[in-house]
Amino acid sequence: MALIGRLHGAQCTPLRQQLRHADGIRGVFSLKPLRRGELILSLPLRYCYFAQFGPDDKHRPDWASTPEGARQLRRWNRGVALLPETWTWLQRFSSDAPSDCVLLTSGVSAELPPTGRTSAHEEGNNDDVGLASPVVFSLTVSPVEAALATAIALRYFYRRALHLTPATRAEKHIGPPPNELADRFVDNLPVDLYLKWGVETLYGDPASGEAHVCVEQIAQNLRDAALTHANTEEYRFLDEFLSLFDDLLLVCLYVVRSRVLTVPLLGRTEARREEKVCSVFAPLLDGLNHQPLRPSAAVVVSLRRAHVVVRATRDVRRGEEITLDYRAAGPRACLPTHDDSSATSLPYAVRMDEDWAARYLMEEDRLVDD
């Protein structure tokens, strides 16, 4: 929690980050008793990134690919101080980028078992009995998620993996410029742990196998973009340690996606009652674990205060973990969609953007011990 002192304007009740005794997972614990409604954490928006936002009924993954969505994402993420180089990558990854657009959507085809097709039986068409149904799984990464993953991977790669000194990086213009806040934030991310476990452990859930393949393909697109925009010295290092950078970029994409939370978005005035949600990536907030049954806190984005605000939803004991319900405002369940009125040869379309296991690397119904 040492990062809080470098986030100007942030407020935080006394907290401590430590491993849970039950399972060894890192969590955030309160160092004092808290009353319901008491402020736990308040972060200025200038340190937070918005990956997605909009009215609740229009919150869709392809929103950022529209011209309006691309412009709005850039407006909301302009000048964020956490990782300054993210802004450059966001411009490059925007759907309306002036140069060749980086593909942030991937799809894989597969077949559903015969039980997935019922319309043919209902219509009396016996020709389809016993045939598997074609299905296309797709996944889209927000330009903000892609920009954050690339920025974190490059900062980690040159500083932590290659151990280049700040003087060397500055002299030869290698990687992002040294930045104490950005370096400390990257150091606090579990990138080392993910690399130690091995990239293959991210594919442990067979139910999300297609989503994992899509994420890997998108990570390769980000790798190509990093090579395209690298100078001579950077390209030499990236080319020499390309396998390491591939693994690192994939890990960082998972790290970023698992730390993007969908939360309520409160307007600037009380008169606006339209319910909105946004997907936010914020320091310190990413350390709060999921607890679906009895979370101790809730988070909102307050435009009036220009802060991300976390408050206790019940009384919290001293030494108790601060947890959130990630499902409070999203993401939605990933369900196959298919128009039965279409020809039977058309595939099912399954969007895996918010597949729970692939995004948060945990089973959907996993419970956290209280």
Side-chain angles (χ1 to χ4, degrees):
M1 305 302 295
L3 191 66
I4 189 69
R6 290 170 172 79
L7 304 177
H8 301 294
Q11 295 177 277
C12 182
T13 192
L15 300 172
R16 179 173 60 198
Q17 196 169 44
Q18 64 183 44
L19 301 181
R20 293 198 306 232
H21 297 297
D23 51 19
I25 294 177
R26 187 171 62 172
V28 175
F29 296 79
S30 176
L31 295 180
K32 73 166 193 175
L34 300 173
R35 303 293 295 177
R36 179 181 178 183
E38 190 171 343
L39 179 68
I40 297 177
L41 183 64
S42 180
L43 297 171
L45 293 185
R46 63 176 175 271
Y47 298 111
C48 307
Y49 293 91
F50 291 90
Q52 188 85 264
F53 59 94
D56 191 35
D57 59 344
K58 297 180 181 178
H59 189 68
R60 60 190 190 278
D62 58 351
W63 170 83
S65 64
T66 65
E68 176 191 1
R71 290 192 298 269
Q72 201 164 0
L73 270 185
R74 289 196 298 272
R75 284 198 300 268
W76 279 62
N77 291 284
R78 185 190 300 273
V80 179
L82 185 62
L83 290 160
E85 63 272 19
T86 301
W87 170 247
T88 300
W89 288 108
L90 177 57
Q91 292 176 296
R92 293 168 177 169
F93 293 152
S94 293
S95 58
D96 59 350
S99 58
D100 292 339
C101 185
V102 179
L103 187 61
L104 301 181
T105 297
S106 178
V108 294
S109 59
E111 290 186 345
L112 289 177
T115 54
R117 296 280 291 277
T118 59
S119 58
H121 295 266
E122 294 170 354
E123 296 172 5
N125 185 354
N126 294 327
D127 294 337
D128 259 351
V129 176
L131 295 180
S133 303
V135 57
V136 174
F137 296 91
S138 66
L139 186 144
T140 299
V141 170
S142 163
V144 176
E145 293 175 336
L148 281 166
T150 305
I152 293 170
L154 288 171
R155 187 169 287 274
Y156 183 99
F157 179 72
Y158 294 116
R159 178 171 170 267
R160 298 286 299 275
L162 301 186
H163 303 288
L164 299 181
T165 64
T168 300
R169 287 184 284 142
E171 178 185 355
K172 298 186 177 182
H173 304 285
I174 298 175
N179 181 290
E180 184 180 4
L181 176 61
D183 289 340
R184 284 183 175 271
F185 175 72
V186 172
D187 289 346
N188 195 52
L189 295 173
V191 177
D192 288 334
L193 190 59
Y194 278 48
L195 290 173
K196 180 181 178 180
W197 287 344
V199 178
E200 64 276 0
T201 62
L202 303 176
Y203 298 79
D205 179 20
S208 300
E210 293 81 5
H212 295 307
V213 173
C214 291
V215 172
E216 186 176 44
Q217 292 176 353
I218 294 173
Q220 292 173 357
N221 295 342
L222 302 185
R223 182 271 314 273
D224 293 342
L227 289 171
T228 299
H229 294 282
N231 60 34
T232 303
E233 289 292 332
E234 291 172 335
Y235 191 94
R236 180 172 65 85
F237 284 117
L238 291 172
D239 184 59
E240 183 177 356
F241 301 98
L242 193 58
S243 178
L244 170 61
F245 185 66
D246 280 344
D247 289 349
L248 179 58
L249 195 49
L250 178 60
V251 161
C252 289
L253 192 53
Y254 272 103
V255 167
V256 168
R257 280 172 47 82
S258 65
R259 280 158 174 73
V260 172
L261 300 181
T262 303
V263 302
L265 176 65
L266 304 184
R268 290 185 172 86
T269 64
E270 294 295 332
R272 297 185 62 181
R273 305 301 299 174
E274 182 182 16
E275 292 188 4
K276 293 186 177 183
V277 295
C278 64
S279 297
V280 63
F281 178 95
L284 306 182
L285 183 66
D286 61 356
L288 304 182
N289 288 320
H290 172 57
Q291 167 55 269
L293 293 183
R294 197 167 177 261
S296 57
V299 57
V300 299
V301 172
S302 172
L303 297 183
R304 184 170 59 88
R305 295 185 56 185
H307 277 63
V308 173
V309 180
V310 180
R311 292 188 179 274
T313 55
R314 56 176 174 81
D315 292 348
V316 178
R317 303 184 306 273
R318 181 180 182 274
E320 185 177 351
E321 184 178 4
I322 304 299
T323 56
L324 301 171
D325 180 5
Y326 291 2
R327 289 283 194 181
R332 290 165 174 75
C334 175
L335 297 174
T337 58
H338 177 65
D339 185 1
D340 287 336
S341 64
S342 303
T344 56
S345 60
L346 292 180
Y348 285 80
V350 182
R351 303 201 68 148
M352 306 289 288
D353 305 76
E354 299 300 344
D355 177 69
W356 182 267
R359 175 174 284 277
Y360 294 113
L361 303 180
M362 68 174 77
E363 296 178 4
E364 187 171 352
D365 57 351
R366 176 178 176 177
L367 304 182
V368 179
D369 295 334
D370 195 12

